[in-house]
Amino acid sequence: MERSPHSSAYGQACTHCYKAKCRCVRARSGETCDRCLRLKKRCEPSETVRRRNVHNGHNAPAASVSDRRIARLEDKVEDLLSVIQSFIGSNTRNANTANTSLVTPDSTALTFGTSSTATVSPNPDPTYLPTQYQSTPSPSSNQTDEQLEFFRARMLPSFPFLDLGPSITAGYLRQHRPFLLHAIHTVTTFSTQERLAKAEELKRLLFTSAWSNVDSNIDLLLGVLTYLAWSTDPFLGGADLVSRLMMLAISLVYDLRLFKPSSLDVQLMMAITQGRADENGHPPSETPYAFLEKQRAVLACFFLSSNVSSHLGRQDALRWTPQMGEALRVIEITNACSTDRLFISQIRLQLLKQRADDIRQQDEAGMGTENDVASAPRLLYLKTLRRQFHELRASFAPDLQQIDILNTHAQYVELYINQMGYSITHEPQSPEEFGRAGNGGVPLGFQRLECLWRSVENIKSWLDNFYTIPTANLIGQPFHFWSQMILTVTLLKYLSTLRDPDWDCQAVRNTVHLISTLDSMLQKIELTSREPELQCDDHLLKYLTKLIARCRGWAEARWNVASQTPHNAGARHHIPDLDQMAWLQSMDLGDDQWFETALGMPATFS
């Protein structure tokens, strides 16, 4: 009869358990301990080690103590590498035995240093898939969901907060992430009428789960984030819905305790070892894939809340925390997904943009003295943001996937920083200076002129990058891309018609001609509308074409009038903040009355 496992008596631990200072539990066979058996190590008694330590005594020289510490560290590193190798072998055997698609050559990997790689199963749960899903079809089979494949190939690369490798099929998502799959089906429906029907069903499922059943799970969070990222609601009178869903996503982040202070590296290592307990004796609760899935989700929630906050103005962005910084670092060092580099760059760009927004809000709250051109701390902060931006921009690898999309995002962030600089440089308001400018307002001053001209250069660069994006890639762009396009063109309109004695509108027009720009954008969007996936009359690009065409009519009607009007005529002109355009927050491109009410554009404009 086999003996029950028990801890070794004091002083009888094996060599490896003694060095690692771990409890040495003998296996049932009695010939080895559980730890050595799991690590596939030779279990040896520690008599020689104990004897060496006794001879050294307490008066051993410092060098000897240091050597022993180094030896223990080396042994721990060796243990970790052995565990990783064992984990790889275990996954390989499981794949060969069960003939599953969970671990494939295309699976993502967690890489530590240059000597070891641990394959990560795409299963988000601690256990493997049920039997009926262990032989799911490959992505090239006839059973592959076309909408999922389109989302994976044409939409997700623009905002890759999900790791949907080829081994994750529609059947897998239907079993483990049903709400996410429903959200993917919704955002890959381009007809507005058809999408509205699917969105209603999505909301019904969401409200039942989140409110009636009071559920909080990663499936709900990922589904809500997916819908928000590719939502068309902000352009069709649904800004309130987007705001509510954003608040729900933030509440799910808190309910799932994704802000819980902890060492992400320790958790990740425990998950990789698949069986090692933490220092409190608790077993790991999730796989590496599920762990990284949550880290990407909380960062995506920050990104989207920052965009919704600034573009719709209905709530504050999710506060950046040290745990988010750790999540960003863990995703970077693991490099588990080929698109993680792009995602990390997008998050860091958005963090700079959010910091600029924070300083703008502080300025609106009354920072600085009323008669200062701009307080020194704010100008220093502006310079710091610009320096950090250029350092981040220089770190972009030229071979990065979707580099054109990343460049447009970068140009918008720099544009936002420059507009923040324009808004915080407060002009003196003395009667003499106000009289010098006449009724047209206060002259801009050097700092504001510099910020505005930098903005012109940002707009030109954004447009240059926009024109290089293939039409096939424009279809799957998320909400924030089209919102940035609208804001960029709107700001160009202000800069092209700004009446100020120190501002040269003609120089702006020579650099970026507003009407020619609108014509080029219309042509680009028209070409994109011919893509096979957009063969309907009510997709988003049709509505954006309608907006740009009417903006062109507005610009053409006022183009010569603005250039011939004296600077001191009429009301004082200014450049509004990008976050304070009420017409964008109430946008409804499907309603002709909105154009006339919000923008002063008659519905019959041709």
Side-chain angles (χ1 to χ4, degrees):
M1 180 181 296
E2 292 184 343
R3 294 177 297 174
S4 300
H6 61 277
S7 299
S8 299
Y10 179 77
Q12 298 300 317
C14 72
T15 301
H16 296 295
C17 290
Y18 170 71
K19 288 183 178 181
K21 294 186 177 180
C22 293
R23 188 176 62 168
C24 185
V25 180
R26 309 307 296 177
R28 291 183 180 273
S29 63
E31 297 177 356
T32 182
C33 71
D34 284 344
R35 186 169 179 274
C36 289
L37 183 62
R38 176 165 50 82
L39 300 182
K40 295 184 178 180
K41 288 194 170 189
R42 184 178 178 181
C43 189
E44 298 176 340
S46 59
E47 296 176 359
T48 56
V49 178
R50 299 293 178 89
R51 190 179 305 116
R52 183 188 64 189
N53 289 340
V54 171
H55 291 332
N56 288 340
H58 296 287
N59 297 324
S64 178
V65 175
S66 177
D67 290 342
R68 290 199 301 274
R69 289 179 178 175
I70 292 174
R72 285 197 298 269
L73 289 174
E74 290 176 344
D75 188 68
K76 289 182 179 180
V77 171
E78 181 183 353
D79 288 346
L80 179 58
L81 294 179
S82 299
V83 169
I84 293 176
Q85 295 295 339
S86 175
F87 180 66
I88 296 173
S90 175
N91 277 345
T92 304
R93 287 192 300 274
N94 287 332
N96 293 335
T97 303
N99 190 27
T100 71
S101 61
L102 291 180
V103 182
T104 68
D106 296 327
S107 296
T108 54
L110 299 181
T111 304
F112 299 92
T114 58
S115 60
S116 61
T117 301
T119 303
V120 179
S121 166
N123 183 17
D125 301 313
T127 57
Y128 284 104
L129 291 176
T131 304
Q132 63 268 30
Y133 285 96
Q134 287 185 353
S135 297
T136 51
S138 64
S140 60
S141 70
N142 294 330
Q143 299 180 23
T144 302
D145 187 283
E146 293 182 359
Q147 287 181 289
L148 172 60
E149 190 60 33
F150 183 88
F151 178 79
R152 176 164 36 212
R154 304 275 294 277
M155 300 177 73
L156 190 57
S158 298
F159 183 49
F161 76 98
L162 293 170
D163 181 8
L164 296 181
S167 57
I168 297 183
T169 64
Y172 172 84
L173 291 179
R174 194 171 292 109
Q175 174 72 11
H176 293 279
R177 298 288 183 263
F179 189 77
L180 171 60
L181 182 62
H182 198 121
I184 290 174
H185 283 168
T186 302
V187 299
T188 52
T189 301
F190 296 103
S191 169
T192 298
Q193 291 302 318
E194 294 180 13
R195 177 183 281 219
L196 286 175
K198 291 189 176 182
E200 286 300 317
E201 176 64 15
L202 186 77
K203 288 189 291 183
R204 185 188 67 80
L205 294 174
L206 176 62
F207 295 158
T208 300
S209 298
W211 277 279
S212 298
N213 300 338
V214 198
D215 292 333
S216 294
N217 55 63
I218 189 65
D219 182 33
L220 285 179
L221 177 59
L222 294 178
V224 172
L225 293 178
T226 298
Y227 183 81
L228 286 170
W230 284 274
S231 175
T232 59
D233 294 310
F235 307 110
L236 299 172
D240 289 333
L241 173 62
V242 171
S243 177
R244 297 291 174 86
L245 291 178
M246 193 71 255
M247 294 301 295
L248 174 60
I250 293 175
S251 71
L252 288 173
V253 166
Y254 280 97
D255 288 345
L256 293 172
R257 304 185 71 188
L258 299 186
F259 281 100
K260 180 182 178 182
S262 61
S263 173
L264 302 184
D265 295 296
V266 171
Q267 290 186 10
L268 182 60
M269 289 297 184
M270 289 190 303
I272 291 175
T273 57
Q274 293 292 292
R276 292 188 63 179
D278 62 17
E279 59 185 9
N280 296 321
H282 301 297
S285 59
E286 59 189 357
T287 63
Y289 180 90
F291 175 78
L292 292 175
E293 184 180 51
K294 291 181 179 179
Q295 309 315 308
R296 294 189 189 96
V298 69
L299 294 174
C301 190
F302 162 77
F303 183 98
L304 294 174
S305 67
S306 177
N307 277 311
V308 170
S309 173
S310 63
H311 293 172
L312 301 182
R314 282 168 167 76
Q315 79 269 323
D316 293 332
L318 186 64
R319 182 175 56 88
W320 183 266
T321 65
Q323 286 72 41
M324 292 167 127
E326 289 184 0
L328 193 64
R329 182 170 59 88
V330 168
I331 294 175
E332 183 175 25
I333 65 174
T334 55
N335 194 27
C337 181
S338 60
T339 57
D340 277 345
R341 287 195 303 163
L342 174 64
F343 181 63
I344 290 169
S345 298
Q346 289 176 323
I347 297 299
R348 286 178 172 161
L349 280 171
Q350 194 66 23
L351 180 57
L352 290 178
K353 183 262 177 191
Q354 188 58 43
R355 288 171 178 168
D357 182 41
D358 292 341
I359 193 65
R360 181 187 60 81
Q361 293 184 25
Q362 291 176 4
D363 181 71
E364 292 176 355
M367 285 185 61
T369 59
E370 186 174 338
N371 294 324
D372 289 340
V373 173
S375 68
R378 284 178 287 166
L379 292 179
L380 289 175
Y381 197 78
L382 174 62
K383 292 180 179 179
T384 299
L385 284 178
R386 283 176 174 165
R387 176 181 56 79
Q388 292 174 346
F389 169 82
H390 289 296
E391 290 175 354
L392 178 58
R393 183 72 186 275
S395 69
F396 294 167
D399 61 340
L400 196 64
Q401 294 182 4
Q402 303 289 324
I403 187 65
D404 47 1
I405 301 299
L406 185 61
N407 284 334
T408 58
H409 188 194
Q411 290 300 333
Y412 179 80
V413 170
E414 187 175 19
L415 173 66
Y416 192 94
I417 292 174
N418 286 323
Q419 283 302 293
M420 182 272 291
Y422 164 81
S423 65
I424 68 172
T425 48
H426 184 75
E427 255 66 22
Q429 298 276 338
S430 66
E432 295 80 8
E433 290 174 320
F434 188 83
R436 180 167 61 87
N439 295 330
V442 179
L444 288 173
F446 174 76
Q447 290 173 333
R448 300 189 112 186
L449 282 171
E450 181 187 24
C451 291
L452 289 183
W453 189 253
R454 284 175 181 256
S455 298
V456 174
E457 295 174 340
N458 293 143
I459 292 173
K460 183 178 185 306
S461 297
W462 193 98
L463 292 168
D464 290 342
N465 283 288
F466 172 77
Y467 297 141
T468 64
I469 299 175
T471 56
N473 292 347
L474 281 178
I475 299 177
Q477 292 308 305
F479 148 71
H480 63 264
F481 177 86
W482 300 113
S483 179
Q484 290 172 7
M485 182 196 75
I486 294 172
L487 287 170
T488 299
V489 173
T490 301
L491 186 59
L492 177 61
K493 166 256 180 185
Y494 280 105
L495 294 172
S496 300
T497 58
L498 178 64
R499 286 181 288 174
D500 187 277
D502 295 327
W503 184 246
D504 189 351
C505 288
Q506 191 58 47
V508 177
R509 298 180 181 188
N510 293 339
T511 304
V512 192
H513 197 275
L514 176 61
I515 295 180
S516 298
T517 295
L518 294 173
D519 287 337
S520 298
M521 297 186 80
L522 284 171
Q523 183 180 6
K524 181 79 172 182
I525 295 178
E526 176 62 28
L527 289 174
T528 306
S529 298
R530 299 176 187 174
E531 291 291 319
E533 295 80 9
L534 299 181
Q535 298 310 303
C536 54
D537 295 330
D538 59 344
H539 57 76
L540 175 62
L541 296 189
K542 289 285 187 181
Y543 293 107
L544 292 177
T545 299
K546 179 180 175 182
L547 174 65
I548 295 175
R550 295 190 178 181
C551 287
R552 190 196 184 284
W554 179 93
E556 191 174 36
R558 293 162 176 77
W559 193 249
N560 293 329
V561 175
S563 61
Q564 295 171 1
T565 302
H567 292 306
N568 59 352
R572 178 182 177 185
H573 287 255
H574 69 285
I575 304 293
D577 288 336
L578 291 175
D579 290 348
Q580 296 180 346
M581 297 185 183
W583 63 269
L584 179 63
Q585 300 170 8
S586 64
M587 179 176 291
D588 188 353
L589 300 182
D591 182 8
D592 287 336
Q593 185 62 37
W594 174 83
F595 284 93
E596 187 169 359
T597 302
L599 301 181
M601 297 180 182
T604 57
F605 239 141
S606 58

